[in-house]
Amino acid sequence: SDVCSSDLFPSHDRIKVYDMIGKLIETREVNAADMPVVSLGDRYPSGVYNVVITQEDDVRALRMIKR
């Protein structure tokens, strides 16, 4: 799945992806100025994942469904 970074990643951020039982699957540092779109989940098995995006003190959580 692709996530557009212009809304979610205005600077240097950390992305963590967890499976539905809470196991950390991936951690990534992202610099939005260098990458307008972040691709996640290419190698994940089908399922539902929680994506936690942290930018300084702001934390956002998204649910990603991989088919």
Side-chain angles (χ1 to χ4, degrees):
S1 295
D2 291 336
V3 177
C4 186
S5 67
S6 61
D7 295 330
L8 299 175
F9 311 120
S11 64
H12 186 77
D13 303 322
R14 173 171 286 154
I15 300 172
K16 291 185 178 182
V17 181
Y18 298 89
D19 64 14
M20 287 309 292
I21 60 172
K23 180 181 175 188
L24 180 63
I25 303 296
E26 180 177 357
T27 300
R28 191 184 302 184
E29 296 282 335
V30 178
N31 186 344
D34 296 335
M35 189 179 340
V37 175
V38 176
S39 183
L40 296 171
D42 293 341
R43 298 182 187 161
Y44 300 172
S46 296
V48 180
Y49 298 88
N50 290 314
V51 181
V52 179
I53 304 152
T54 304
Q55 176 197 10
E56 297 177 8
D57 293 333
D58 187 27
V59 178
R60 297 180 190 208
L62 305 169
R63 183 159 289 166
M64 177 177 71
I65 300 171
K66 169 74 179 202
R67 294 179 186 223

